[in-house]
PDB file of all heavy atoms in Angstrom:
ATOM      1  N   VAL T  69     266.198 175.534 -34.060  1.00 98.00           N
ATOM      2  CA  VAL T  69     266.753 174.793 -32.926  1.00 98.00           C
ATOM      3  C   VAL T  69     268.248 174.632 -33.146  1.00 98.00           C
ATOM      4  O   VAL T  69     268.685 174.204 -34.214  1.00 98.00           O
ATOM      5  CB  VAL T  69     266.087 173.407 -32.761  1.00 98.00           C
ATOM      6  CG1 VAL T  69     266.727 172.639 -31.610  1.00 98.00           C
ATOM      7  CG2 VAL T  69     264.583 173.564 -32.531  1.00 98.00           C
ATOM      8  N   ILE T  70     268.996 175.011 -32.134  1.00 98.00           N
ATOM      9  CA  ILE T  70     270.452 174.887 -32.191  1.00 98.00           C
ATOM     10  C   ILE T  70     270.891 173.838 -31.173  1.00 98.00           C
ATOM     11  O   ILE T  70     270.477 173.885 -30.011  1.00 98.00           O
ATOM     12  CB  ILE T  70     271.144 176.234 -31.912  1.00 98.00           C
ATOM     13  CG1 ILE T  70     270.760 177.244 -32.999  1.00 98.00           C
ATOM     14  CG2 ILE T  70     272.668 176.050 -31.838  1.00 98.00           C
ATOM     15  CD1 ILE T  70     271.315 178.637 -32.785  1.00 98.00           C
ATOM     16  N   HIS T  71     271.724 172.927 -31.636  1.00 98.00           N
ATOM     17  CA  HIS T  71     272.302 171.878 -30.786  1.00 98.00           C
ATOM     18  C   HIS T  71     273.736 172.283 -30.492  1.00 98.00           C
ATOM     19  O   HIS T  71     274.476 172.677 -31.401  1.00 98.00           O
ATOM     20  CB  HIS T  71     272.255 170.550 -31.546  1.00 98.00           C
ATOM     21  CG  HIS T  71     272.950 169.434 -30.855  1.00 98.00           C
ATOM     22  ND1 HIS T  71     274.132 168.909 -31.312  1.00 98.00           N
ATOM     23  CD2 HIS T  71     272.638 168.739 -29.742  1.00 98.00           C
ATOM     24  CE1 HIS T  71     274.510 167.921 -30.515  1.00 98.00           C
ATOM     25  NE2 HIS T  71     273.617 167.813 -29.542  1.00 98.00           N
ATOM     26  N   HIS T  72     274.118 172.213 -29.217  1.00 98.00           N
ATOM     27  CA  HIS T  72     275.478 172.603 -28.848  1.00 98.00           C
ATOM     28  C   HIS T  72     275.935 171.745 -27.677  1.00 98.00           C
ATOM     29  O   HIS T  72     275.115 171.337 -26.853  1.00 98.00           O
ATOM     30  CB  HIS T  72     275.521 174.081 -28.469  1.00 98.00           C
ATOM     31  CG  HIS T  72     276.901 174.653 -28.435  1.00 98.00           C
ATOM     32  ND1 HIS T  72     277.551 175.097 -29.565  1.00 98.00           N
ATOM     33  CD2 HIS T  72     277.754 174.839 -27.417  1.00 98.00           C
ATOM     34  CE1 HIS T  72     278.743 175.537 -29.227  1.00 98.00           C
ATOM     35  NE2 HIS T  72     278.897 175.392 -27.938  1.00 98.00           N
ATOM     36  N   ILE T  73     277.228 171.499 -27.609  1.00 97.00           N
ATOM     37  CA  ILE T  73     277.783 170.754 -26.479  1.00 97.00           C
ATOM     38  C   ILE T  73     278.706 171.692 -25.699  1.00 97.00           C
ATOM     39  O   ILE T  73     279.626 172.289 -26.265  1.00 97.00           O
ATOM     40  CB  ILE T  73     278.528 169.491 -26.942  1.00 97.00           C
ATOM     41  CG1 ILE T  73     277.530 168.555 -27.630  1.00 97.00           C
ATOM     42  CG2 ILE T  73     279.202 168.799 -25.760  1.00 97.00           C
ATOM     43  CD1 ILE T  73     278.110 167.310 -28.228  1.00 97.00           C
ATOM     44  N   PHE T  74     278.405 171.829 -24.416  1.00 98.00           N
ATOM     45  CA  PHE T  74     279.182 172.677 -23.515  1.00 98.00           C
ATOM     46  C   PHE T  74     279.989 171.800 -22.573  1.00 98.00           C
ATOM     47  O   PHE T  74     279.628 170.646 -22.324  1.00 98.00           O
ATOM     48  CB  PHE T  74     278.250 173.587 -22.699  1.00 98.00           C
ATOM     49  CG  PHE T  74     277.418 174.504 -23.550  1.00 98.00           C
ATOM     50  CD1 PHE T  74     276.105 174.186 -23.863  1.00 98.00           C
ATOM     51  CD2 PHE T  74     277.946 175.685 -24.044  1.00 98.00           C
ATOM     52  CE1 PHE T  74     275.338 175.023 -24.654  1.00 98.00           C
ATOM     53  CE2 PHE T  74     277.190 176.536 -24.843  1.00 98.00           C
ATOM     54  CZ  PHE T  74     275.880 176.206 -25.146  1.00 98.00           C
ATOM     55  N   ASN T  75     281.052 172.351 -22.021  1.00 97.00           N
ATOM     56  CA  ASN T  75     281.898 171.625 -21.070  1.00 97.00           C
ATOM     57  C   ASN T  75     281.924 172.357 -19.740  1.00 97.00           C
ATOM     58  O   ASN T  75     281.796 173.575 -19.700  1.00 97.00           O
ATOM     59  CB  ASN T  75     283.332 171.510 -21.613  1.00 97.00           C
ATOM     60  CG  ASN T  75     283.394 170.685 -22.861  1.00 97.00           C
ATOM     61  OD1 ASN T  75     282.980 169.529 -22.867  1.00 97.00           O
ATOM     62  ND2 ASN T  75     283.881 171.265 -23.943  1.00 97.00           N
ATOM     63  N   GLY T  76     282.117 171.591 -18.677  1.00 96.00           N
ATOM     64  CA  GLY T  76     282.248 172.189 -17.357  1.00 96.00           C
ATOM     65  C   GLY T  76     281.332 171.532 -16.345  1.00 96.00           C
ATOM     66  O   GLY T  76     280.759 170.466 -16.599  1.00 96.00           O
ATOM     67  N   SER T  77     281.198 172.199 -15.214  1.00 96.00           N
ATOM     68  CA  SER T  77     280.318 171.714 -14.154  1.00 96.00           C
ATOM     69  C   SER T  77     278.859 171.958 -14.549  1.00 96.00           C
ATOM     70  O   SER T  77     278.588 172.635 -15.541  1.00 96.00           O
ATOM     71  CB  SER T  77     280.621 172.457 -12.848  1.00 96.00           C
ATOM     72  OG  SER T  77     280.222 173.821 -12.973  1.00 96.00           O
ATOM     73  N   ARG T  78     277.936 171.430 -13.746  1.00 95.00           N
ATOM     74  CA  ARG T  78     276.503 171.664 -13.989  1.00 95.00           C
ATOM     75  C   ARG T  78     276.200 173.146 -14.182  1.00 95.00           C
ATOM     76  O   ARG T  78     275.563 173.552 -15.154  1.00 95.00           O
ATOM     77  CB  ARG T  78     275.678 171.171 -12.788  1.00 95.00           C
ATOM     78  CG  ARG T  78     275.277 169.757 -12.802  1.00 95.00           C
ATOM     79  CD  ARG T  78     274.408 169.431 -11.587  1.00 95.00           C
ATOM     80  NE  ARG T  78     273.038 169.902 -11.715  1.00 95.00           N
ATOM     81  CZ  ARG T  78     272.116 169.346 -12.488  1.00 95.00           C
ATOM     82  NH1 ARG T  78     272.409 168.306 -13.225  1.00 95.00           N
ATOM     83  NH2 ARG T  78     270.897 169.839 -12.535  1.00 95.00           N
ATOM     84  N   ASN T  79     276.645 173.950 -13.235  1.00 96.00           N
ATOM     85  CA  ASN T  79     276.335 175.374 -13.307  1.00 96.00           C
ATOM     86  C   ASN T  79     277.056 176.071 -14.448  1.00 96.00           C
ATOM     87  O   ASN T  79     276.499 176.984 -15.059  1.00 96.00           O
ATOM     88  CB  ASN T  79     276.600 176.055 -11.966  1.00 96.00           C
ATOM     89  CG  ASN T  79     275.512 175.735 -10.965  1.00 96.00           C
ATOM     90  OD1 ASN T  79     274.378 175.438 -11.333  1.00 96.00           O
ATOM     91  ND2 ASN T  79     275.851 175.768  -9.702  1.00 96.00           N
ATOM     92  N   GLU T  80     278.258 175.637 -14.748  1.00 97.00           N
ATOM     93  CA  GLU T  80     278.973 176.229 -15.889  1.00 97.00           C
ATOM     94  C   GLU T  80     278.250 175.916 -17.193  1.00 97.00           C
ATOM     95  O   GLU T  80     278.125 176.790 -18.064  1.00 97.00           O
ATOM     96  CB  GLU T  80     280.412 175.714 -15.943  1.00 97.00           C
ATOM     97  CG  GLU T  80     281.297 176.282 -14.851  1.00 97.00           C
ATOM     98  CD  GLU T  80     282.641 175.587 -14.723  1.00 97.00           C
ATOM     99  OE1 GLU T  80     282.794 174.440 -15.203  1.00 97.00           O
ATOM    100  OE2 GLU T  80     283.556 176.198 -14.132  1.00 97.00           O
ATOM    101  N   ILE T  81     277.748 174.708 -17.341  1.00 97.00           N
ATOM    102  CA  ILE T  81     276.994 174.325 -18.541  1.00 97.00           C
ATOM    103  C   ILE T  81     275.738 175.182 -18.661  1.00 97.00           C
ATOM    104  O   ILE T  81     275.434 175.719 -19.729  1.00 97.00           O
ATOM    105  CB  ILE T  81     276.659 172.820 -18.528  1.00 97.00           C
ATOM    106  CG1 ILE T  81     277.948 172.013 -18.741  1.00 97.00           C
ATOM    107  CG2 ILE T  81     275.598 172.472 -19.562  1.00 97.00           C
ATOM    108  CD1 ILE T  81     277.827 170.534 -18.422  1.00 97.00           C
ATOM    109  N   ARG T  82     275.016 175.341 -17.569  1.00 98.00           N
ATOM    110  CA  ARG T  82     273.794 176.151 -17.577  1.00 98.00           C
ATOM    111  C   ARG T  82     274.102 177.607 -17.921  1.00 98.00           C
ATOM    112  O   ARG T  82     273.417 178.225 -18.745  1.00 98.00           O
ATOM    113  CB  ARG T  82     273.099 176.044 -16.212  1.00 98.00           C
ATOM    114  CG  ARG T  82     272.560 174.651 -15.935  1.00 98.00           C
ATOM    115  CD  ARG T  82     272.059 174.479 -14.494  1.00 98.00           C
ATOM    116  NE  ARG T  82     270.957 175.377 -14.225  1.00 98.00           N
ATOM    117  CZ  ARG T  82     270.945 176.294 -13.241  1.00 98.00           C
ATOM    118  NH1 ARG T  82     271.967 176.419 -12.418  1.00 98.00           N
ATOM    119  NH2 ARG T  82     269.889 177.075 -13.081  1.00 98.00           N
ATOM    120  N   GLU T  83     275.143 178.167 -17.305  1.00 98.00           N
ATOM    121  CA  GLU T  83     275.518 179.558 -17.565  1.00 98.00           C
ATOM    122  C   GLU T  83     275.974 179.748 -19.013  1.00 98.00           C
ATOM    123  O   GLU T  83     275.629 180.742 -19.658  1.00 98.00           O
ATOM    124  CB  GLU T  83     276.611 180.000 -16.593  1.00 98.00           C
ATOM    125  CG  GLU T  83     276.096 180.164 -15.174  1.00 98.00           C
ATOM    126  CD  GLU T  83     277.203 180.281 -14.133  1.00 98.00           C
ATOM    127  OE1 GLU T  83     278.410 180.255 -14.499  1.00 98.00           O
ATOM    128  OE2 GLU T  83     276.852 180.400 -12.943  1.00 98.00           O
ATOM    129  N   GLN T  84     276.756 178.798 -19.525  1.00 98.00           N
ATOM    130  CA  GLN T  84     277.216 178.877 -20.913  1.00 98.00           C
ATOM    131  C   GLN T  84     276.031 178.809 -21.879  1.00 98.00           C
ATOM    132  O   GLN T  84     276.012 179.515 -22.898  1.00 98.00           O
ATOM    133  CB  GLN T  84     278.189 177.744 -21.221  1.00 98.00           C
ATOM    134  CG  GLN T  84     279.539 177.884 -20.555  1.00 98.00           C
ATOM    135  CD  GLN T  84     280.371 176.625 -20.736  1.00 98.00           C
ATOM    136  OE1 GLN T  84     280.536 176.129 -21.843  1.00 98.00           O
ATOM    137  NE2 GLN T  84     280.900 176.106 -19.636  1.00 98.00           N
ATOM    138  N   ALA T  85     275.056 177.961 -21.580  1.00 98.00           N
ATOM    139  CA  ALA T  85     273.884 177.842 -22.443  1.00 98.00           C
ATOM    140  C   ALA T  85     273.115 179.165 -22.496  1.00 98.00           C
ATOM    141  O   ALA T  85     272.679 179.595 -23.568  1.00 98.00           O
ATOM    142  CB  ALA T  85     272.976 176.713 -21.955  1.00 98.00           C
ATOM    143  N   VAL T  86     272.962 179.814 -21.361  1.00 98.00           N
ATOM    144  CA  VAL T  86     272.265 181.102 -21.321  1.00 98.00           C
ATOM    145  C   VAL T  86     273.021 182.152 -22.122  1.00 98.00           C
ATOM    146  O   VAL T  86     272.430 182.870 -22.941  1.00 98.00           O
ATOM    147  CB  VAL T  86     272.051 181.553 -19.857  1.00 98.00           C
ATOM    148  CG1 VAL T  86     271.617 183.015 -19.790  1.00 98.00           C
ATOM    149  CG2 VAL T  86     271.028 180.654 -19.168  1.00 98.00           C
ATOM    150  N   GLN T  87     274.323 182.246 -21.932  1.00 98.00           N
ATOM    151  CA  GLN T  87     275.120 183.233 -22.666  1.00 98.00           C
ATOM    152  C   GLN T  87     275.080 182.954 -24.172  1.00 98.00           C
ATOM    153  O   GLN T  87     274.933 183.871 -24.978  1.00 98.00           O
ATOM    154  CB  GLN T  87     276.560 183.243 -22.153  1.00 98.00           C
ATOM    155  CG  GLN T  87     276.692 183.793 -20.751  1.00 98.00           C
ATOM    156  CD  GLN T  87     276.197 185.226 -20.619  1.00 98.00           C
ATOM    157  OE1 GLN T  87     276.638 186.127 -21.321  1.00 98.00           O
ATOM    158  NE2 GLN T  87     275.242 185.441 -19.716  1.00 98.00           N
ATOM    159  N   PHE T  88     275.210 181.684 -24.538  1.00 98.00           N
ATOM    160  CA  PHE T  88     275.165 181.289 -25.947  1.00 98.00           C
ATOM    161  C   PHE T  88     273.820 181.664 -26.559  1.00 98.00           C
ATOM    162  O   PHE T  88     273.759 182.197 -27.668  1.00 98.00           O
ATOM    163  CB  PHE T  88     275.419 179.781 -26.058  1.00 98.00           C
ATOM    164  CG  PHE T  88     275.478 179.271 -27.463  1.00 98.00           C
ATOM    165  CD1 PHE T  88     276.663 179.310 -28.176  1.00 98.00           C
ATOM    166  CD2 PHE T  88     274.361 178.724 -28.071  1.00 98.00           C
ATOM    167  CE1 PHE T  88     276.727 178.819 -29.483  1.00 98.00           C
ATOM    168  CE2 PHE T  88     274.409 178.241 -29.366  1.00 98.00           C
ATOM    169  CZ  PHE T  88     275.596 178.291 -30.083  1.00 98.00           C
ATOM    170  N   ALA T  89     272.736 181.406 -25.831  1.00 98.00           N
ATOM    171  CA  ALA T  89     271.398 181.724 -26.336  1.00 98.00           C
ATOM    172  C   ALA T  89     271.234 183.236 -26.523  1.00 98.00           C
ATOM    173  O   ALA T  89     270.654 183.676 -27.521  1.00 98.00           O
ATOM    174  CB  ALA T  89     270.335 181.177 -25.395  1.00 98.00           C
ATOM    175  N   CYS T  90     271.738 184.013 -25.592  1.00 98.00           N
ATOM    176  CA  CYS T  90     271.673 185.475 -25.732  1.00 98.00           C
ATOM    177  C   CYS T  90     272.411 185.930 -26.994  1.00 98.00           C
ATOM    178  O   CYS T  90     271.911 186.750 -27.759  1.00 98.00           O
ATOM    179  CB  CYS T  90     272.253 186.160 -24.493  1.00 98.00           C
ATOM    180  SG  CYS T  90     271.230 186.070 -23.014  1.00 98.00           S
ATOM    181  N   GLU T  91     273.597 185.373 -27.208  1.00 98.00           N
ATOM    182  CA  GLU T  91     274.394 185.714 -28.398  1.00 98.00           C
ATOM    183  C   GLU T  91     273.655 185.345 -29.679  1.00 98.00           C
ATOM    184  O   GLU T  91     273.589 186.135 -30.628  1.00 98.00           O
ATOM    185  CB  GLU T  91     275.744 184.994 -28.362  1.00 98.00           C
ATOM    186  CG  GLU T  91     276.669 185.486 -27.274  1.00 98.00           C
ATOM    187  CD  GLU T  91     277.849 184.551 -27.040  1.00 98.00           C
ATOM    188  OE1 GLU T  91     278.048 183.578 -27.808  1.00 98.00           O
ATOM    189  OE2 GLU T  91     278.585 184.779 -26.059  1.00 98.00           O
ATOM    190  N   GLN T  92     273.116 184.124 -29.716  1.00 98.00           N
ATOM    191  CA  GLN T  92     272.419 183.664 -30.921  1.00 98.00           C
ATOM    192  C   GLN T  92     271.178 184.509 -31.198  1.00 98.00           C
ATOM    193  O   GLN T  92     270.912 184.880 -32.341  1.00 98.00           O
ATOM    194  CB  GLN T  92     272.026 182.181 -30.779  1.00 98.00           C
ATOM    195  CG  GLN T  92     273.202 181.246 -30.713  1.00 98.00           C
ATOM    196  CD  GLN T  92     274.145 181.392 -31.885  1.00 98.00           C
ATOM    197  OE1 GLN T  92     273.745 181.349 -33.039  1.00 98.00           O
ATOM    198  NE2 GLN T  92     275.421 181.595 -31.597  1.00 98.00           N
ATOM    199  N   LEU T  93     270.428 184.803 -30.157  1.00 98.00           N
ATOM    200  CA  LEU T  93     269.207 185.572 -30.314  1.00 98.00           C
ATOM    201  C   LEU T  93     269.525 186.999 -30.779  1.00 98.00           C
ATOM    202  O   LEU T  93     268.832 187.547 -31.660  1.00 98.00           O
ATOM    203  CB  LEU T  93     268.428 185.599 -29.005  1.00 98.00           C
ATOM    204  CG  LEU T  93     267.010 186.130 -29.062  1.00 98.00           C
ATOM    205  CD1 LEU T  93     266.206 185.469 -30.170  1.00 98.00           C
ATOM    206  CD2 LEU T  93     266.340 185.927 -27.729  1.00 98.00           C
ATOM    207  N   LEU T  94     270.570 187.575 -30.249  1.00 97.00           N
ATOM    208  CA  LEU T  94     270.984 188.913 -30.690  1.00 97.00           C
ATOM    209  C   LEU T  94     271.322 188.914 -32.177  1.00 97.00           C
ATOM    210  O   LEU T  94     270.919 189.823 -32.923  1.00 97.00           O
ATOM    211  CB  LEU T  94     272.168 189.380 -29.852  1.00 97.00           C
ATOM    212  CG  LEU T  94     272.554 190.861 -29.974  1.00 97.00           C
ATOM    213  CD1 LEU T  94     271.379 191.781 -29.652  1.00 97.00           C
ATOM    214  CD2 LEU T  94     273.727 191.154 -29.049  1.00 97.00           C
ATOM    215  N   LYS T  95     272.017 187.875 -32.636  1.00 98.00           N
ATOM    216  CA  LYS T  95     272.327 187.752 -34.071  1.00 98.00           C
ATOM    217  C   LYS T  95     271.046 187.623 -34.891  1.00 98.00           C
ATOM    218  O   LYS T  95     270.907 188.241 -35.950  1.00 98.00           O
ATOM    219  CB  LYS T  95     273.196 186.531 -34.331  1.00 98.00           C
ATOM    220  CG  LYS T  95     274.630 186.670 -33.899  1.00 98.00           C
ATOM    221  CD  LYS T  95     275.394 185.384 -34.185  1.00 98.00           C
ATOM    222  CE  LYS T  95     276.728 185.361 -33.475  1.00 98.00           C
ATOM    223  NZ  LYS T  95     277.392 184.057 -33.582  1.00 98.00           N
ATOM    224  N   MET T  96     270.104 186.806 -34.418  1.00 98.00           N
ATOM    225  CA  MET T  96     268.855 186.594 -35.149  1.00 98.00           C
ATOM    226  C   MET T  96     268.025 187.861 -35.260  1.00 98.00           C
ATOM    227  O   MET T  96     267.314 188.053 -36.245  1.00 98.00           O
ATOM    228  CB  MET T  96     268.031 185.498 -34.461  1.00 98.00           C
ATOM    229  CG  MET T  96     268.616 184.125 -34.580  1.00 98.00           C
ATOM    230  SD  MET T  96     267.638 182.940 -33.599  1.00 98.00           S
ATOM    231  CE  MET T  96     268.716 181.525 -33.629  1.00 98.00           C
ATOM    232  N   LEU T  97     268.103 188.709 -34.258  1.00 98.00           N
ATOM    233  CA  LEU T  97     267.293 189.925 -34.234  1.00 98.00           C
ATOM    234  C   LEU T  97     267.954 191.097 -34.960  1.00 98.00           C
ATOM    235  O   LEU T  97     267.312 192.117 -35.217  1.00 98.00           O
ATOM    236  CB  LEU T  97     266.997 190.339 -32.785  1.00 98.00           C
ATOM    237  CG  LEU T  97     266.109 189.369 -32.007  1.00 98.00           C
ATOM    238  CD1 LEU T  97     266.062 189.771 -30.543  1.00 98.00           C
ATOM    239  CD2 LEU T  97     264.714 189.293 -32.594  1.00 98.00           C
ATOM    240  N   SER T  98     269.250 190.953 -35.287  1.00 93.00           N
ATOM    241  CA  SER T  98     269.975 192.067 -35.921  1.00 93.00           C
ATOM    242  C   SER T  98     269.823 192.055 -37.433  1.00 93.00           C
ATOM    243  O   SER T  98     269.457 191.110 -38.035  1.00 93.00           O
ATOM    244  CB  SER T  98     271.455 191.992 -35.557  1.00 93.00           C
ATOM    245  OG  SER T  98     271.589 192.239 -34.178  1.00 93.00           O
TER     246      SER T  98
END
């Protein structure tokens, strides 16, 4: 479980969380 704080509007926070999760998962799978 990764805890992170994002900044921005509702949609920016949601979009950043998705991008961050993709990045983290790619690292975990490599």
Side-chain angles (χ1 to χ4, degrees):
V69 178
I70 297 176
H71 173 251
H72 196 83
I73 297 176
F74 300 98
N75 295 303
S77 68
R78 273 183 77 74
N79 284 334
E80 288 169 340
I81 290 166
R82 293 171 62 238
E83 289 166 1
Q84 289 171 51
V86 167
Q87 291 300 304
F88 183 86
C90 287
E91 292 166 7
Q92 294 305 308
L93 191 50
L94 192 56
K95 286 179 194 172
M96 290 175 192
L97 294 171
S98 293

